[in-house]
Short mmCIF file of all heavy atoms in Angstrom, two decimals:
data_model
loop_
_atom_site.label_atom_id
_atom_site.label_comp_id
_atom_site.label_asym_id
_atom_site.label_seq_id
_atom_site.Cartn_x
_atom_site.Cartn_y
_atom_site.Cartn_z
N ARG A 629 -41.92 39.85 -8.00
CA ARG A 629 -40.47 39.76 -8.02
C ARG A 629 -40.01 38.98 -6.80
O ARG A 629 -40.75 38.83 -5.83
CB ARG A 629 -39.82 41.16 -7.97
CG ARG A 629 -40.23 42.10 -9.10
CD ARG A 629 -41.44 42.93 -8.75
NE ARG A 629 -41.54 44.14 -9.53
CZ ARG A 629 -42.29 44.30 -10.61
NH1 ARG A 629 -43.00 43.28 -11.07
NH2 ARG A 629 -42.33 45.44 -11.24
N LEU A 630 -38.76 38.54 -6.81
CA LEU A 630 -38.17 37.83 -5.68
C LEU A 630 -36.86 38.52 -5.31
O LEU A 630 -35.99 38.71 -6.17
CB LEU A 630 -37.91 36.37 -6.04
CG LEU A 630 -37.06 35.54 -5.07
CD1 LEU A 630 -37.75 35.42 -3.71
CD2 LEU A 630 -36.78 34.15 -5.64
N ALA A 631 -36.72 38.87 -4.03
CA ALA A 631 -35.48 39.48 -3.56
C ALA A 631 -34.95 38.70 -2.37
O ALA A 631 -35.66 38.51 -1.38
CB ALA A 631 -35.70 40.94 -3.18
N TYR A 632 -33.70 38.24 -2.48
CA TYR A 632 -33.02 37.58 -1.37
C TYR A 632 -32.32 38.62 -0.51
O TYR A 632 -31.72 39.57 -1.04
CB TYR A 632 -32.00 36.56 -1.90
CG TYR A 632 -32.47 35.14 -1.71
CD1 TYR A 632 -33.43 34.60 -2.55
CD2 TYR A 632 -31.97 34.37 -0.67
CE1 TYR A 632 -33.87 33.31 -2.37
CE2 TYR A 632 -32.42 33.07 -0.49
CZ TYR A 632 -33.37 32.55 -1.32
OH TYR A 632 -33.82 31.26 -1.13
N ILE A 633 -32.40 38.44 0.82
CA ILE A 633 -31.73 39.34 1.77
C ILE A 633 -30.82 38.49 2.65
O ILE A 633 -31.30 37.61 3.38
CB ILE A 633 -32.74 40.10 2.64
CG1 ILE A 633 -33.78 40.82 1.77
CG2 ILE A 633 -32.03 41.08 3.55
CD1 ILE A 633 -34.90 41.48 2.56
N LEU A 634 -29.52 38.74 2.60
CA LEU A 634 -28.55 37.95 3.36
C LEU A 634 -28.13 38.69 4.62
O LEU A 634 -27.77 39.87 4.55
CB LEU A 634 -27.32 37.65 2.49
CG LEU A 634 -27.57 36.97 1.15
CD1 LEU A 634 -26.24 36.71 0.45
CD2 LEU A 634 -28.36 35.69 1.31
N HIS A 635 -28.14 37.97 5.75
CA HIS A 635 -27.78 38.61 7.02
C HIS A 635 -26.27 38.59 7.23
O HIS A 635 -25.52 37.89 6.55
CB HIS A 635 -28.50 37.94 8.19
CG HIS A 635 -28.04 36.55 8.49
ND1 HIS A 635 -26.89 36.29 9.18
CD2 HIS A 635 -28.58 35.34 8.22
CE1 HIS A 635 -26.75 34.99 9.33
NE2 HIS A 635 -27.75 34.38 8.74
N GLY A 636 -25.84 39.37 8.21
CA GLY A 636 -24.42 39.51 8.49
C GLY A 636 -23.95 38.64 9.64
O GLY A 636 -24.57 37.64 9.99
N GLY A 637 -22.86 39.05 10.27
CA GLY A 637 -22.15 38.19 11.20
C GLY A 637 -22.83 37.96 12.53
O GLY A 637 -22.67 36.90 13.12
N THR A 638 -23.58 38.94 13.04
CA THR A 638 -24.22 38.74 14.35
C THR A 638 -25.73 38.67 14.19
O THR A 638 -26.48 39.24 14.98
CB THR A 638 -23.85 39.88 15.31
OG1 THR A 638 -24.22 41.13 14.71
CG2 THR A 638 -22.38 39.88 15.62
N GLY A 639 -26.18 37.96 13.18
CA GLY A 639 -27.61 37.88 12.95
C GLY A 639 -28.06 36.50 12.55
O GLY A 639 -27.33 35.52 12.66
N ASN A 640 -29.29 36.42 12.10
CA ASN A 640 -29.86 35.19 11.57
C ASN A 640 -30.93 35.58 10.57
O ASN A 640 -30.93 36.72 10.09
CB ASN A 640 -30.42 34.32 12.70
CG ASN A 640 -31.43 35.06 13.56
OD1 ASN A 640 -32.20 35.88 13.07
ND2 ASN A 640 -31.43 34.79 14.85
N GLU A 641 -31.81 34.67 10.26
CA GLU A 641 -32.82 34.93 9.23
C GLU A 641 -33.78 36.05 9.59
O GLU A 641 -34.50 36.55 8.73
CB GLU A 641 -33.60 33.64 8.92
CG GLU A 641 -34.59 33.19 9.99
CD GLU A 641 -33.95 32.47 11.17
OE1 GLU A 641 -32.71 32.33 11.19
OE2 GLU A 641 -34.69 32.04 12.07
N ASN A 642 -33.79 36.48 10.86
CA ASN A 642 -34.70 37.54 11.29
C ASN A 642 -34.02 38.89 11.48
O ASN A 642 -34.69 39.89 11.70
CB ASN A 642 -35.39 37.14 12.60
CG ASN A 642 -36.23 35.90 12.45
OD1 ASN A 642 -37.06 35.82 11.56
ND2 ASN A 642 -36.00 34.90 13.29
N ALA A 643 -32.70 38.93 11.43
CA ALA A 643 -31.97 40.15 11.78
C ALA A 643 -32.31 41.31 10.85
O ALA A 643 -32.46 42.44 11.29
CB ALA A 643 -30.47 39.88 11.77
N SER A 644 -32.41 41.03 9.54
CA SER A 644 -32.68 42.11 8.59
C SER A 644 -34.05 42.72 8.84
O SER A 644 -34.24 43.94 8.72
CB SER A 644 -32.57 41.58 7.16
OG SER A 644 -31.28 41.06 6.91
N LEU A 645 -35.03 41.89 9.18
CA LEU A 645 -36.37 42.38 9.47
C LEU A 645 -36.34 43.25 10.71
O LEU A 645 -36.84 44.38 10.72
CB LEU A 645 -37.32 41.21 9.71
CG LEU A 645 -37.84 40.39 8.56
CD1 LEU A 645 -36.73 39.65 7.84
CD2 LEU A 645 -38.90 39.41 9.05
N TYR A 646 -35.73 42.70 11.75
CA TYR A 646 -35.73 43.38 13.05
C TYR A 646 -35.03 44.73 12.97
O TYR A 646 -35.54 45.74 13.47
CB TYR A 646 -35.07 42.48 14.10
CG TYR A 646 -34.37 43.25 15.19
CD1 TYR A 646 -35.09 43.98 16.13
CD2 TYR A 646 -32.98 43.27 15.26
CE1 TYR A 646 -34.45 44.71 17.11
CE2 TYR A 646 -32.33 43.99 16.23
CZ TYR A 646 -33.07 44.72 17.17
OH TYR A 646 -32.42 45.44 18.12
N ARG A 647 -33.86 44.77 12.36
CA ARG A 647 -33.07 46.00 12.41
C ARG A 647 -33.68 47.12 11.58
O ARG A 647 -33.51 48.29 11.90
CB ARG A 647 -31.63 45.70 11.97
CG ARG A 647 -30.88 44.96 13.09
CD ARG A 647 -29.54 44.43 12.68
NE ARG A 647 -28.89 43.75 13.81
CZ ARG A 647 -27.94 42.85 13.71
NH1 ARG A 647 -27.50 42.51 12.51
NH2 ARG A 647 -27.42 42.29 14.78
N THR A 648 -34.39 46.79 10.50
CA THR A 648 -35.08 47.84 9.75
C THR A 648 -36.36 48.27 10.47
O THR A 648 -36.69 49.45 10.49
CB THR A 648 -35.40 47.38 8.33
OG1 THR A 648 -36.08 46.12 8.38
CG2 THR A 648 -34.14 47.22 7.51
N MET A 649 -37.07 47.31 11.07
CA MET A 649 -38.29 47.66 11.79
C MET A 649 -37.99 48.56 12.98
O MET A 649 -38.80 49.43 13.33
CB MET A 649 -39.00 46.39 12.25
CG MET A 649 -39.73 45.65 11.14
SD MET A 649 -40.53 44.14 11.73
CE MET A 649 -41.46 43.66 10.29
N GLU A 650 -36.84 48.35 13.64
CA GLU A 650 -36.48 49.19 14.77
C GLU A 650 -36.33 50.65 14.35
O GLU A 650 -36.49 51.55 15.16
CB GLU A 650 -35.18 48.69 15.41
CG GLU A 650 -35.33 47.42 16.21
CD GLU A 650 -36.24 47.60 17.41
OE1 GLU A 650 -35.85 48.31 18.35
OE2 GLU A 650 -37.36 47.03 17.39
N ARG A 651 -36.00 50.88 13.09
CA ARG A 651 -35.88 52.24 12.56
C ARG A 651 -37.20 52.76 12.01
O ARG A 651 -37.29 53.92 11.61
CB ARG A 651 -34.85 52.27 11.44
CG ARG A 651 -33.41 52.35 11.88
CD ARG A 651 -33.04 53.67 12.54
NE ARG A 651 -33.55 54.83 11.86
CZ ARG A 651 -32.91 55.46 10.89
NH1 ARG A 651 -31.74 55.02 10.48
NH2 ARG A 651 -33.44 56.52 10.33
N GLY A 652 -38.22 51.91 11.95
CA GLY A 652 -39.47 52.32 11.35
C GLY A 652 -39.51 52.12 9.85
O GLY A 652 -40.44 52.56 9.17
N TYR A 653 -38.50 51.45 9.29
CA TYR A 653 -38.48 51.12 7.87
C TYR A 653 -38.92 49.66 7.74
O TYR A 653 -38.16 48.75 8.06
CB TYR A 653 -37.08 51.30 7.28
CG TYR A 653 -36.56 52.71 7.38
CD1 TYR A 653 -35.34 52.98 8.00
CD2 TYR A 653 -37.29 53.77 6.86
CE1 TYR A 653 -34.86 54.27 8.08
CE2 TYR A 653 -36.82 55.06 6.95
CZ TYR A 653 -35.60 55.31 7.56
OH TYR A 653 -35.14 56.60 7.64
N ASN A 654 -40.14 49.46 7.29
CA ASN A 654 -40.74 48.13 7.36
C ASN A 654 -40.69 47.44 6.00
O ASN A 654 -41.29 47.89 5.02
CB ASN A 654 -42.18 48.24 7.85
CG ASN A 654 -42.24 48.96 9.19
OD1 ASN A 654 -41.53 48.61 10.12
ND2 ASN A 654 -43.08 49.98 9.28
N LEU A 655 -39.97 46.34 5.96
CA LEU A 655 -39.77 45.64 4.70
C LEU A 655 -41.08 45.13 4.10
O LEU A 655 -41.21 45.04 2.88
CB LEU A 655 -38.80 44.48 4.90
CG LEU A 655 -37.33 44.89 5.11
CD1 LEU A 655 -36.49 43.69 5.53
CD2 LEU A 655 -36.76 45.51 3.84
N ASP A 656 -42.05 44.78 4.96
CA ASP A 656 -43.30 44.29 4.40
C ASP A 656 -44.04 45.39 3.63
O ASP A 656 -44.75 45.12 2.66
CB ASP A 656 -44.20 43.67 5.47
CG ASP A 656 -44.27 44.47 6.75
OD1 ASP A 656 -43.82 45.62 6.75
OD2 ASP A 656 -44.78 43.94 7.76
N VAL A 657 -43.88 46.64 4.04
CA VAL A 657 -44.49 47.76 3.31
C VAL A 657 -43.90 47.86 1.91
O VAL A 657 -44.61 48.05 0.91
CB VAL A 657 -44.29 49.07 4.09
CG1 VAL A 657 -44.77 50.26 3.26
CG2 VAL A 657 -45.02 49.02 5.43
N TYR A 658 -42.58 47.70 1.80
CA TYR A 658 -41.93 47.74 0.49
C TYR A 658 -42.33 46.52 -0.35
O TYR A 658 -42.50 46.63 -1.57
CB TYR A 658 -40.41 47.78 0.67
CG TYR A 658 -39.91 49.13 1.11
CD1 TYR A 658 -39.82 49.45 2.46
CD2 TYR A 658 -39.56 50.10 0.17
CE1 TYR A 658 -39.38 50.69 2.87
CE2 TYR A 658 -39.11 51.34 0.57
CZ TYR A 658 -39.03 51.64 1.93
OH TYR A 658 -38.60 52.88 2.33
N ALA A 659 -42.47 45.37 0.29
CA ALA A 659 -42.88 44.17 -0.44
C ALA A 659 -44.25 44.36 -1.08
O ALA A 659 -44.50 43.94 -2.22
CB ALA A 659 -42.88 42.96 0.49
N GLU A 660 -45.16 45.00 -0.34
CA GLU A 660 -46.50 45.24 -0.88
C GLU A 660 -46.48 46.32 -1.96
O GLU A 660 -47.15 46.20 -2.98
CB GLU A 660 -47.45 45.65 0.26
CG GLU A 660 -47.76 44.53 1.24
CD GLU A 660 -48.51 43.38 0.60
OE1 GLU A 660 -49.11 43.55 -0.49
OE2 GLU A 660 -48.50 42.28 1.19
N LYS A 661 -45.71 47.38 -1.73
CA LYS A 661 -45.66 48.49 -2.69
C LYS A 661 -45.15 48.04 -4.04
O LYS A 661 -45.68 48.43 -5.10
CB LYS A 661 -44.79 49.61 -2.13
CG LYS A 661 -44.65 50.81 -3.07
CD LYS A 661 -43.78 51.89 -2.44
CE LYS A 661 -43.62 53.08 -3.38
NZ LYS A 661 -42.77 54.15 -2.78
N TYR A 662 -44.11 47.20 -4.04
CA TYR A 662 -43.46 46.80 -5.29
C TYR A 662 -43.76 45.36 -5.70
O TYR A 662 -43.23 44.88 -6.69
CB TYR A 662 -41.95 46.98 -5.17
CG TYR A 662 -41.52 48.42 -5.00
CD1 TYR A 662 -41.19 48.92 -3.74
CD2 TYR A 662 -41.44 49.28 -6.09
CE1 TYR A 662 -40.78 50.24 -3.58
CE2 TYR A 662 -41.03 50.59 -5.94
CZ TYR A 662 -40.70 51.07 -4.68
OH TYR A 662 -40.30 52.37 -4.52
#
Side-chain angles (χ1 to χ4, degrees):
R629 302 91 158 98
L630 169 63
Y632 253 77
I633 306 174
L634 305 182
H635 69 79
T638 56
N640 55 36
E641 73 281 2
N642 298 308
S644 300
L645 284 64
Y646 149 70
R647 285 171 180 158
T648 52
M649 285 179 172
E650 286 296 291
R651 279 292 316 272
Y653 299 125
N654 304 310
L655 288 171
D656 44 12
V657 173
Y658 285 89
E660 292 296 341
K661 179 179 179 180
Y662 295 101

